[in-house]
Amino acid sequence: EGLNMGKYTELTNDNFEATTNSGVALVDFWAPWCGPCRMIAPVIDELAEEFEGKAAICKVNTDEQAELSTKFGVRSIPTIIFMKDGEVVDTMVGAASKQAFVDKLNSLLQYKIYYYLSK
């Protein structure tokens, strides 16, 4: 376990709401023993860097945060939920390509821009 260079946010009951209540957030529910979770871990790190200042890229360790897993109905991992202003807008279960995550985040961020323009 080297130095963690990723800019993702580790979420717990204490900081979950404050982190996800405004703007766009990707939340990766994972556990250390989960193979597919380890596969997408580097992707989550990259997304955290690429979307820094634009979207919150977060992880929830389901072994330590059972309450959050239950609250969001996470039954298998990895489960990635996409949130917008505190609301779950999409869920992806299982490992996916980086592009799939990028497209989803961009579409949520895009929507925000149109929304502001139309107000």
Side-chain angles (χ1 to χ4, degrees):
E1 296 295 311
L3 188 66
N4 179 14
M5 300 301 289
K7 296 180 172 67
Y8 67 81
T9 307
E10 209 40 88
L11 293 183
T12 65
N13 261 332
D14 301 331
N15 68 350
F16 192 94
E17 232 157 271
T19 309
T20 60
N21 67 357
S22 76
V24 173
L26 173 157
V27 184
D28 171 23
F29 286 84
W30 72 288
W33 47 264
C34 157
C37 298
R38 285 202 301 273
M39 261 170 48
I40 63 166
V43 169
I44 300 296
D45 285 339
E46 286 171 27
L47 292 173
E49 290 200 10
E50 288 167 30
F51 285 89
E52 194 182 7
K54 289 184 275 207
I57 307 298
C58 315
K59 293 177 86 157
V60 173
N61 183 333
T62 55
D63 284 357
E64 294 166 7
Q65 305 296 326
E67 234 176 289
L68 284 176
S69 308
T70 305
K71 181 179 174 181
F72 289 96
V74 173
R75 285 180 192 83
S76 58
I77 51 174
T79 289
I80 290 87
I81 63 171
F82 294 86
M83 300 181 76
K84 177 123 188 177
D85 299 332
E87 300 290 314
V88 177
V89 287
D90 213 341
T91 305
M92 288 165 78
V93 179
S97 70
K98 179 181 175 183
Q99 197 55 50
F101 297 132
V102 167
D103 290 346
K104 181 57 64 185
L105 286 166
N106 279 334
S107 71
L108 290 171
L109 290 164
Q110 216 43 51
Y111 172 73
K112 183 168 150 184
I113 295 161
Y114 292 135
Y115 179 67
Y116 286 135
L117 287 176
S118 65
K119 276 211 306 204

Short mmCIF file of all heavy atoms in Angstrom, two decimals, residues 66-115:
data_model
loop_
_atom_site.label_atom_id
_atom_site.label_comp_id
_atom_site.label_asym_id
_atom_site.label_seq_id
_atom_site.Cartn_x
_atom_site.Cartn_y
_atom_site.Cartn_z
N ALA A 66 -21.50 -0.18 6.53
CA ALA A 66 -22.67 -1.02 6.24
C ALA A 66 -23.96 -0.20 6.16
O ALA A 66 -24.83 -0.48 5.34
CB ALA A 66 -22.81 -2.11 7.30
N GLU A 67 -24.05 0.83 6.99
CA GLU A 67 -25.25 1.65 7.01
C GLU A 67 -25.50 2.33 5.68
O GLU A 67 -26.63 2.37 5.19
CB GLU A 67 -25.08 2.73 8.10
CG GLU A 67 -26.21 2.76 9.11
CD GLU A 67 -25.93 3.77 10.21
OE1 GLU A 67 -25.03 3.52 11.03
OE2 GLU A 67 -26.60 4.83 10.21
N LEU A 68 -24.44 2.90 5.09
CA LEU A 68 -24.58 3.57 3.79
C LEU A 68 -24.95 2.56 2.71
O LEU A 68 -25.78 2.85 1.84
CB LEU A 68 -23.28 4.29 3.41
CG LEU A 68 -22.98 5.61 4.15
CD1 LEU A 68 -21.61 6.13 3.74
CD2 LEU A 68 -24.06 6.65 3.87
N SER A 69 -24.34 1.38 2.76
CA SER A 69 -24.65 0.35 1.76
C SER A 69 -26.13 -0.01 1.81
O SER A 69 -26.79 -0.15 0.78
CB SER A 69 -23.81 -0.91 2.01
OG SER A 69 -22.46 -0.56 2.12
N THR A 70 -26.64 -0.16 3.03
CA THR A 70 -28.04 -0.51 3.21
C THR A 70 -28.94 0.62 2.73
O THR A 70 -29.92 0.40 2.02
CB THR A 70 -28.33 -0.80 4.70
OG1 THR A 70 -27.41 -1.80 5.14
CG2 THR A 70 -29.74 -1.28 4.91
N LYS A 71 -28.58 1.84 3.09
CA LYS A 71 -29.37 3.01 2.72
C LYS A 71 -29.55 3.11 1.21
O LYS A 71 -30.61 3.47 0.73
CB LYS A 71 -28.69 4.28 3.25
CG LYS A 71 -29.43 5.55 2.94
CD LYS A 71 -28.72 6.77 3.51
CE LYS A 71 -29.40 8.05 3.05
NZ LYS A 71 -28.73 9.25 3.55
N PHE A 72 -28.50 2.76 0.47
CA PHE A 72 -28.57 2.88 -1.00
C PHE A 72 -28.87 1.55 -1.69
O PHE A 72 -28.77 1.44 -2.90
CB PHE A 72 -27.28 3.52 -1.53
CG PHE A 72 -27.18 4.97 -1.18
CD1 PHE A 72 -26.47 5.38 -0.07
CD2 PHE A 72 -27.84 5.92 -1.94
CE1 PHE A 72 -26.41 6.73 0.28
CE2 PHE A 72 -27.79 7.27 -1.61
CZ PHE A 72 -27.08 7.67 -0.49
N GLY A 73 -29.24 0.55 -0.90
CA GLY A 73 -29.65 -0.73 -1.46
C GLY A 73 -28.56 -1.45 -2.23
O GLY A 73 -28.82 -2.14 -3.21
N VAL A 74 -27.31 -1.29 -1.78
CA VAL A 74 -26.19 -1.93 -2.46
C VAL A 74 -26.13 -3.41 -2.07
O VAL A 74 -25.93 -3.74 -0.92
CB VAL A 74 -24.85 -1.23 -2.12
CG1 VAL A 74 -23.67 -2.00 -2.69
CG2 VAL A 74 -24.87 0.20 -2.63
N ARG A 75 -26.35 -4.28 -3.06
CA ARG A 75 -26.35 -5.72 -2.78
C ARG A 75 -25.12 -6.42 -3.33
O ARG A 75 -24.72 -7.45 -2.83
CB ARG A 75 -27.62 -6.36 -3.35
CG ARG A 75 -28.83 -6.04 -2.51
CD ARG A 75 -30.10 -6.65 -3.04
NE ARG A 75 -31.25 -6.08 -2.38
CZ ARG A 75 -31.82 -4.93 -2.72
NH1 ARG A 75 -31.36 -4.25 -3.75
NH2 ARG A 75 -32.86 -4.47 -2.06
N SER A 76 -24.58 -5.92 -4.42
CA SER A 76 -23.36 -6.51 -4.95
C SER A 76 -22.40 -5.38 -5.29
O SER A 76 -22.84 -4.26 -5.54
CB SER A 76 -23.67 -7.36 -6.19
OG SER A 76 -24.28 -6.57 -7.17
N ILE A 77 -21.13 -5.70 -5.24
CA ILE A 77 -20.14 -4.66 -5.52
C ILE A 77 -19.21 -5.12 -6.63
O ILE A 77 -19.05 -6.32 -6.83
CB ILE A 77 -19.34 -4.27 -4.24
CG1 ILE A 77 -18.78 -5.51 -3.57
CG2 ILE A 77 -20.19 -3.46 -3.30
CD1 ILE A 77 -17.86 -5.22 -2.40
N PRO A 78 -18.62 -4.19 -7.38
CA PRO A 78 -18.80 -2.75 -7.20
C PRO A 78 -20.18 -2.26 -7.67
O PRO A 78 -20.69 -2.72 -8.68
CB PRO A 78 -17.71 -2.14 -8.08
CG PRO A 78 -17.47 -3.17 -9.15
CD PRO A 78 -17.69 -4.50 -8.47
N THR A 79 -20.75 -1.33 -6.91
CA THR A 79 -21.92 -0.58 -7.35
C THR A 79 -21.50 0.88 -7.39
O THR A 79 -20.93 1.38 -6.42
CB THR A 79 -23.11 -0.77 -6.38
OG1 THR A 79 -23.61 -2.10 -6.50
CG2 THR A 79 -24.25 0.21 -6.71
N ILE A 80 -21.74 1.51 -8.51
CA ILE A 80 -21.37 2.92 -8.65
C ILE A 80 -22.65 3.71 -8.80
O ILE A 80 -23.46 3.45 -9.70
CB ILE A 80 -20.44 3.15 -9.88
CG1 ILE A 80 -19.06 2.54 -9.63
CG2 ILE A 80 -20.26 4.64 -10.15
CD1 ILE A 80 -18.93 1.12 -10.00
N ILE A 81 -22.87 4.65 -7.88
CA ILE A 81 -24.05 5.49 -8.02
C ILE A 81 -23.63 6.89 -8.44
O ILE A 81 -22.57 7.38 -8.06
CB ILE A 81 -24.92 5.53 -6.73
CG1 ILE A 81 -24.17 6.15 -5.56
CG2 ILE A 81 -25.44 4.15 -6.37
CD1 ILE A 81 -25.06 6.39 -4.35
N PHE A 82 -24.46 7.48 -9.27
CA PHE A 82 -24.22 8.85 -9.74
C PHE A 82 -25.27 9.73 -9.07
O PHE A 82 -26.45 9.40 -9.09
CB PHE A 82 -24.36 8.93 -11.26
CG PHE A 82 -23.29 8.15 -11.97
CD1 PHE A 82 -23.45 6.80 -12.22
CD2 PHE A 82 -22.11 8.76 -12.37
CE1 PHE A 82 -22.46 6.06 -12.86
CE2 PHE A 82 -21.11 8.04 -13.01
CZ PHE A 82 -21.29 6.69 -13.25
N MET A 83 -24.80 10.81 -8.46
CA MET A 83 -25.71 11.69 -7.74
C MET A 83 -25.65 13.10 -8.28
O MET A 83 -24.62 13.54 -8.79
CB MET A 83 -25.38 11.69 -6.25
CG MET A 83 -25.50 10.31 -5.63
SD MET A 83 -25.15 10.31 -3.86
CE MET A 83 -26.65 11.03 -3.22
N LYS A 84 -26.77 13.78 -8.17
CA LYS A 84 -26.85 15.17 -8.60
C LYS A 84 -27.61 15.92 -7.51
O LYS A 84 -28.75 15.59 -7.23
CB LYS A 84 -27.60 15.20 -9.92
CG LYS A 84 -27.80 16.58 -10.42
CD LYS A 84 -27.21 16.68 -11.79
CE LYS A 84 -27.27 18.13 -12.16
NZ LYS A 84 -26.70 18.44 -13.38
N ASP A 85 -26.94 16.85 -6.89
CA ASP A 85 -27.56 17.64 -5.82
C ASP A 85 -28.24 16.76 -4.77
O ASP A 85 -29.37 17.01 -4.36
CB ASP A 85 -28.56 18.65 -6.40
CG ASP A 85 -27.87 19.63 -7.35
OD1 ASP A 85 -26.67 19.89 -7.17
OD2 ASP A 85 -28.53 20.11 -8.29
N GLY A 86 -27.53 15.68 -4.39
CA GLY A 86 -28.02 14.82 -3.31
C GLY A 86 -28.99 13.73 -3.72
O GLY A 86 -29.36 12.89 -2.91
N GLU A 87 -29.41 13.73 -4.99
CA GLU A 87 -30.34 12.70 -5.47
C GLU A 87 -29.61 11.68 -6.33
O GLU A 87 -28.78 12.06 -7.15
CB GLU A 87 -31.44 13.34 -6.34
CG GLU A 87 -32.30 14.36 -5.63
CD GLU A 87 -33.20 13.73 -4.58
OE1 GLU A 87 -33.84 12.70 -4.90
OE2 GLU A 87 -33.26 14.26 -3.46
N VAL A 88 -29.96 10.40 -6.16
CA VAL A 88 -29.37 9.37 -7.01
C VAL A 88 -30.03 9.46 -8.38
O VAL A 88 -31.25 9.38 -8.49
CB VAL A 88 -29.58 7.96 -6.42
CG1 VAL A 88 -29.04 6.90 -7.36
CG2 VAL A 88 -28.91 7.87 -5.05
N VAL A 89 -29.22 9.66 -9.43
CA VAL A 89 -29.79 9.77 -10.78
C VAL A 89 -29.48 8.55 -11.64
O VAL A 89 -30.15 8.32 -12.64
CB VAL A 89 -29.31 11.05 -11.51
CG1 VAL A 89 -29.97 12.28 -10.91
CG2 VAL A 89 -27.81 11.19 -11.45
N ASP A 90 -28.49 7.77 -11.24
CA ASP A 90 -28.16 6.58 -12.00
C ASP A 90 -27.32 5.62 -11.18
O ASP A 90 -26.65 6.03 -10.23
CB ASP A 90 -27.38 6.96 -13.27
CG ASP A 90 -27.69 6.01 -14.42
OD1 ASP A 90 -28.20 4.89 -14.15
OD2 ASP A 90 -27.43 6.37 -15.58
N THR A 91 -27.39 4.35 -11.53
CA THR A 91 -26.63 3.32 -10.82
C THR A 91 -26.03 2.37 -11.84
O THR A 91 -26.70 1.98 -12.80
CB THR A 91 -27.55 2.51 -9.88
OG1 THR A 91 -28.22 3.42 -9.00
CG2 THR A 91 -26.75 1.52 -9.04
N MET A 92 -24.77 2.00 -11.64
CA MET A 92 -24.13 1.00 -12.48
C MET A 92 -23.60 -0.09 -11.56
O MET A 92 -22.93 0.20 -10.58
CB MET A 92 -22.97 1.62 -13.27
CG MET A 92 -23.42 2.54 -14.39
SD MET A 92 -22.07 3.59 -15.03
CE MET A 92 -21.18 2.48 -16.07
N VAL A 93 -23.94 -1.34 -11.88
CA VAL A 93 -23.47 -2.45 -11.06
C VAL A 93 -22.44 -3.25 -11.84
O VAL A 93 -22.66 -3.58 -13.00
CB VAL A 93 -24.64 -3.36 -10.62
CG1 VAL A 93 -24.12 -4.52 -9.78
CG2 VAL A 93 -25.66 -2.56 -9.83
N GLY A 94 -21.30 -3.53 -11.19
CA GLY A 94 -20.23 -4.28 -11.85
C GLY A 94 -19.20 -3.35 -12.46
O GLY A 94 -19.42 -2.15 -12.58
N ALA A 95 -18.08 -3.94 -12.82
CA ALA A 95 -17.00 -3.15 -13.42
C ALA A 95 -17.43 -2.66 -14.79
O ALA A 95 -18.09 -3.38 -15.53
CB ALA A 95 -15.73 -3.99 -13.53
N ALA A 96 -17.07 -1.42 -15.09
CA ALA A 96 -17.38 -0.86 -16.41
C ALA A 96 -16.14 -0.17 -16.92
O ALA A 96 -15.17 0.03 -16.19
CB ALA A 96 -18.56 0.11 -16.32
N SER A 97 -16.17 0.21 -18.19
CA SER A 97 -15.01 0.89 -18.77
C SER A 97 -14.93 2.31 -18.25
O SER A 97 -15.93 2.90 -17.85
CB SER A 97 -15.14 0.92 -20.29
OG SER A 97 -16.18 1.80 -20.65
N LYS A 98 -13.75 2.86 -18.29
CA LYS A 98 -13.56 4.25 -17.87
C LYS A 98 -14.45 5.16 -18.71
O LYS A 98 -15.06 6.09 -18.18
CB LYS A 98 -12.09 4.64 -18.04
CG LYS A 98 -11.83 6.09 -17.64
CD LYS A 98 -10.39 6.47 -17.83
CE LYS A 98 -10.19 7.94 -17.53
NZ LYS A 98 -8.81 8.38 -17.78
N GLN A 99 -14.54 4.88 -20.00
CA GLN A 99 -15.33 5.73 -20.89
C GLN A 99 -16.79 5.79 -20.45
O GLN A 99 -17.43 6.83 -20.54
CB GLN A 99 -15.22 5.22 -22.33
CG GLN A 99 -15.66 6.24 -23.38
CD GLN A 99 -14.92 7.57 -23.25
OE1 GLN A 99 -13.69 7.60 -23.17
NE2 GLN A 99 -15.65 8.68 -23.22
N ALA A 100 -17.31 4.67 -19.96
CA ALA A 100 -18.71 4.64 -19.51
C ALA A 100 -18.92 5.62 -18.35
O ALA A 100 -19.92 6.33 -18.30
CB ALA A 100 -19.09 3.23 -19.09
N PHE A 101 -17.95 5.66 -17.44
CA PHE A 101 -18.05 6.58 -16.30
C PHE A 101 -17.90 8.04 -16.77
O PHE A 101 -18.63 8.92 -16.33
CB PHE A 101 -16.96 6.28 -15.27
CG PHE A 101 -17.08 4.92 -14.64
CD1 PHE A 101 -15.97 4.09 -14.54
CD2 PHE A 101 -18.29 4.44 -14.15
CE1 PHE A 101 -16.06 2.83 -13.96
CE2 PHE A 101 -18.39 3.18 -13.56
CZ PHE A 101 -17.27 2.38 -13.48
N VAL A 102 -16.93 8.26 -17.66
CA VAL A 102 -16.68 9.60 -18.19
C VAL A 102 -17.93 10.14 -18.90
O VAL A 102 -18.35 11.27 -18.66
CB VAL A 102 -15.47 9.59 -19.16
CG1 VAL A 102 -15.39 10.89 -19.94
CG2 VAL A 102 -14.18 9.36 -18.38
N ASP A 103 -18.52 9.30 -19.74
CA ASP A 103 -19.71 9.72 -20.49
C ASP A 103 -20.85 10.09 -19.54
O ASP A 103 -21.54 11.09 -19.74
CB ASP A 103 -20.18 8.61 -21.44
CG ASP A 103 -19.21 8.42 -22.61
OD1 ASP A 103 -18.34 9.30 -22.82
OD2 ASP A 103 -19.31 7.39 -23.30
N LYS A 104 -21.03 9.26 -18.52
CA LYS A 104 -22.11 9.49 -17.57
C LYS A 104 -21.89 10.81 -16.80
O LYS A 104 -22.80 11.63 -16.68
CB LYS A 104 -22.18 8.31 -16.60
CG LYS A 104 -23.26 8.38 -15.57
CD LYS A 104 -24.65 8.52 -16.15
CE LYS A 104 -25.08 7.33 -16.96
NZ LYS A 104 -26.39 7.57 -17.60
N LEU A 105 -20.65 11.01 -16.34
CA LEU A 105 -20.33 12.24 -15.61
C LEU A 105 -20.51 13.46 -16.50
O LEU A 105 -21.11 14.46 -16.10
CB LEU A 105 -18.90 12.18 -15.07
CG LEU A 105 -18.69 11.25 -13.87
CD1 LEU A 105 -17.20 11.01 -13.65
CD2 LEU A 105 -19.32 11.83 -12.60
N ASN A 106 -19.99 13.36 -17.73
CA ASN A 106 -20.10 14.49 -18.65
C ASN A 106 -21.55 14.84 -18.96
O ASN A 106 -21.91 16.00 -19.06
CB ASN A 106 -19.32 14.23 -19.94
CG ASN A 106 -17.84 14.50 -19.75
OD1 ASN A 106 -17.44 15.29 -18.90
ND2 ASN A 106 -17.01 13.83 -20.53
N SER A 107 -22.39 13.81 -19.11
CA SER A 107 -23.79 14.09 -19.43
C SER A 107 -24.47 14.79 -18.25
O SER A 107 -25.29 15.68 -18.45
CB SER A 107 -24.54 12.82 -19.84
OG SER A 107 -24.74 11.98 -18.73
N LEU A 108 -24.11 14.41 -17.03
CA LEU A 108 -24.68 15.07 -15.85
C LEU A 108 -24.17 16.51 -15.73
O LEU A 108 -24.93 17.42 -15.39
CB LEU A 108 -24.36 14.29 -14.57
CG LEU A 108 -25.07 12.94 -14.44
CD1 LEU A 108 -24.51 12.16 -13.27
CD2 LEU A 108 -26.56 13.13 -14.28
N LEU A 109 -22.90 16.71 -16.02
CA LEU A 109 -22.32 18.06 -15.95
C LEU A 109 -22.87 18.94 -17.07
O LEU A 109 -23.14 20.12 -16.88
CB LEU A 109 -20.79 17.98 -16.04
CG LEU A 109 -20.11 17.36 -14.81
CD1 LEU A 109 -18.68 16.97 -15.13
CD2 LEU A 109 -20.16 18.30 -13.62
N GLN A 110 -23.06 18.36 -18.25
CA GLN A 110 -23.60 19.03 -19.41
C GLN A 110 -24.99 19.56 -19.09
O GLN A 110 -25.32 20.71 -19.32
CB GLN A 110 -23.70 18.01 -20.55
CG GLN A 110 -23.41 18.51 -21.93
CD GLN A 110 -22.21 19.41 -22.02
OE1 GLN A 110 -21.12 19.10 -21.55
NE2 GLN A 110 -22.39 20.56 -22.61
N TYR A 111 -25.78 18.69 -18.52
CA TYR A 111 -27.16 18.99 -18.18
C TYR A 111 -27.21 20.22 -17.26
O TYR A 111 -28.04 21.09 -17.41
CB TYR A 111 -27.80 17.80 -17.50
CG TYR A 111 -29.17 18.09 -16.94
CD1 TYR A 111 -30.26 18.25 -17.79
CD2 TYR A 111 -29.37 18.24 -15.57
CE1 TYR A 111 -31.51 18.53 -17.28
CE2 TYR A 111 -30.62 18.53 -15.07
CZ TYR A 111 -31.69 18.67 -15.93
OH TYR A 111 -32.93 18.96 -15.43
N LYS A 112 -26.27 20.26 -16.34
CA LYS A 112 -26.20 21.37 -15.39
C LYS A 112 -26.01 22.70 -16.12
O LYS A 112 -26.65 23.69 -15.80
CB LYS A 112 -25.01 21.09 -14.45
CG LYS A 112 -24.81 22.08 -13.35
CD LYS A 112 -23.80 21.45 -12.40
CE LYS A 112 -22.96 22.46 -11.69
NZ LYS A 112 -21.94 21.81 -10.86
N ILE A 113 -25.15 22.68 -17.13
CA ILE A 113 -24.87 23.89 -17.90
C ILE A 113 -26.13 24.35 -18.62
O ILE A 113 -26.53 25.51 -18.54
CB ILE A 113 -23.71 23.66 -18.90
CG1 ILE A 113 -22.41 23.39 -18.14
CG2 ILE A 113 -23.55 24.87 -19.81
CD1 ILE A 113 -21.34 22.72 -18.97
N TYR A 114 -26.81 23.43 -19.29
CA TYR A 114 -28.04 23.78 -20.00
C TYR A 114 -29.07 24.31 -19.03
O TYR A 114 -29.79 25.25 -19.31
CB TYR A 114 -28.62 22.56 -20.74
CG TYR A 114 -27.77 22.11 -21.89
CD1 TYR A 114 -27.50 20.77 -22.08
CD2 TYR A 114 -27.25 23.03 -22.79
CE1 TYR A 114 -26.71 20.35 -23.14
CE2 TYR A 114 -26.47 22.62 -23.86
CZ TYR A 114 -26.19 21.28 -24.03
OH TYR A 114 -25.42 20.88 -25.07
N TYR A 115 -29.12 23.68 -17.88
CA TYR A 115 -30.10 24.06 -16.88
C TYR A 115 -29.89 25.51 -16.45
O TYR A 115 -30.82 26.29 -16.39
CB TYR A 115 -29.97 23.11 -15.68
CG TYR A 115 -30.92 23.42 -14.55
CD1 TYR A 115 -32.30 23.25 -14.73
CD2 TYR A 115 -30.45 23.87 -13.33
CE1 TYR A 115 -33.18 23.54 -13.70
CE2 TYR A 115 -31.33 24.16 -12.29
CZ TYR A 115 -32.69 23.98 -12.48
OH TYR A 115 -33.55 24.26 -11.46
#
